[in-house]
Amino acid sequence: MGKNKKSSRKIVMVIGVILVSIAALPFAINEYVIKTTESAIVGEIKEDKEVSFVKEDQSRFKALNADCILVLGAGLKSDGTPNYMLKDRLDTGIALYKAGAAPKLLLSGDHGKKYYDEVNAMKRYALDRDVPEDDIFLDYAGFSTYDSMYRAKAIFQVSAVIVVTQKYHQHRALYLAEKLGYEAYGVCSDQRTYAGQEKRDTREFLARNKDFFKMLAKPDPTFLGTAIPISGNGLESWD
């Protein structure tokens, strides 16, 4: 009888340890993704909430020898123009381009529906700010962060990139690039306090875990296609 009780206690303890470990795993993965990419973040908007820091640090950005500046999509307003989060990413990316941080812009977003065209909205924004069309590459199939980061290498043949997004999102993008086998440096574009950020932080926690396990298999993105080297002419990506 005593032996049975001891055995039962051991089983309960083992089950308890397993359950605690399972519960802790998502938090450990989240922390791992953040900690392993922190050093790859090379620029953040300063207290003045402007992109003026880009000019101050332009020699450091140039020294990265990046093939392009990758601006990740973030959504549109109801009128089809970039929302505040995307506008801040674009402003930062364009400032980096004009400072000579990289010779090309790669704009990646969602154009999976006829009446939702994030990528061309990003293109128009860049053109209106005097970025030459030859230097603007468009990725119409950036349906997720995973797709955007995968296609940067597989389609646009990027070997080193400056990624522009808000800091909460930056760690996952950099982690994906690292595991996909190319150099990535992050510049964070947080120029304001964004409504709904708590919900985004929760979703990002889950997304870091999802992409951590996704990288174990590295499945193809939603769409692949013909290679469009970033070293070429951006117009080749506009069709």
Side-chain angles (χ1 to χ4, degrees):
M1 192 78 168
K3 288 183 178 179
N4 288 338
K5 282 185 177 180
K6 286 183 179 179
S7 296
S8 297
R9 286 196 200 100
K10 284 182 180 179
I11 291 169
V12 170
M13 287 176 65
V14 169
I15 292 173
V17 169
I18 291 171
L19 291 175
V20 169
S21 298
I22 291 171
L25 183 60
F27 296 92
I29 290 172
N30 185 68
E31 191 67 13
Y32 174 75
V33 171
I34 292 172
K35 292 297 185 185
T36 57
T37 55
E38 193 69 46
S39 63
I41 295 177
V42 296
E44 296 185 51
I45 300 293
K46 295 182 179 177
E47 291 181 1
D48 59 5
K49 298 296 182 185
E50 295 179 358
V51 294
S52 57
F53 79 99
V54 169
K55 284 189 176 180
E56 296 169 15
D57 293 340
Q58 60 182 324
S59 60
R60 184 163 60 89
F61 292 132
K62 286 180 181 179
L64 299 173
N65 294 316
D67 300 317
C68 69
I69 298 148
L70 170 58
V71 181
L72 298 172
L76 302 174
K77 296 180 184 177
S78 57
D79 64 359
T81 60
N83 65 19
Y84 291 123
M85 186 169 277
L86 182 53
K87 177 183 179 298
D88 290 347
R89 293 182 190 184
L90 287 163
D91 284 342
T92 303
I94 291 167
L96 284 163
Y97 168 82
K98 290 187 174 181
K104 307 288 182 180
L105 278 179
L106 174 54
L107 310 179
S108 183
D110 187 349
H111 186 29
K113 297 177 183 177
K114 183 178 180 181
Y115 298 107
Y116 186 83
D117 189 354
E118 189 175 27
V119 181
N120 277 306
M122 296 166 78
K123 178 186 78 175
R124 286 191 294 272
Y125 193 93
L127 289 172
D128 288 346
R129 283 147 187 83
D130 301 319
V131 178
E133 56 186 18
D134 292 1
D135 290 344
I136 301 173
F137 283 75
L138 306 178
D139 180 7
Y140 293 99
F143 301 123
S144 67
T145 306
Y146 178 83
D147 284 2
S148 293
M149 302 311 294
Y150 193 112
R151 285 172 55 83
K153 181 180 180 183
I155 300 300
F156 298 96
Q157 300 183 352
V158 166
S159 59
V161 64
I162 296 173
V163 181
V164 177
T165 186
Q166 278 74 22
K167 189 170 186 179
Y168 84 96
H169 182 221
Q170 188 70 260
H171 296 286
R172 181 160 57 100
L174 295 172
Y175 179 80
L176 289 169
E178 178 193 345
K179 296 304 177 183
L180 288 165
Y182 63 99
E183 297 283 335
Y185 308 95
V187 174
C188 302
S189 56
D190 305 75
Q191 297 185 56
R192 66 190 85 211
T193 300
Y194 304 98
Q197 189 57 45
E198 287 185 6
K199 289 182 179 178
R200 286 191 202 91
D201 290 340
T202 300
R203 287 201 304 268
E204 189 62 21
F205 176 89
L206 297 172
R208 286 177 191 143
N209 276 266
K210 178 193 72 174
D211 283 349
F212 174 86
F213 287 107
K214 199 169 189 176
M215 289 311 300
L216 299 178
K218 299 181 184 176
D220 287 346
T222 307
F223 291 107
L224 277 172
T226 305
I228 308 169
I230 200 74
S231 57
N233 189 316
L235 291 171
E236 295 177 8
S237 66
W238 288 25
D239 294 333

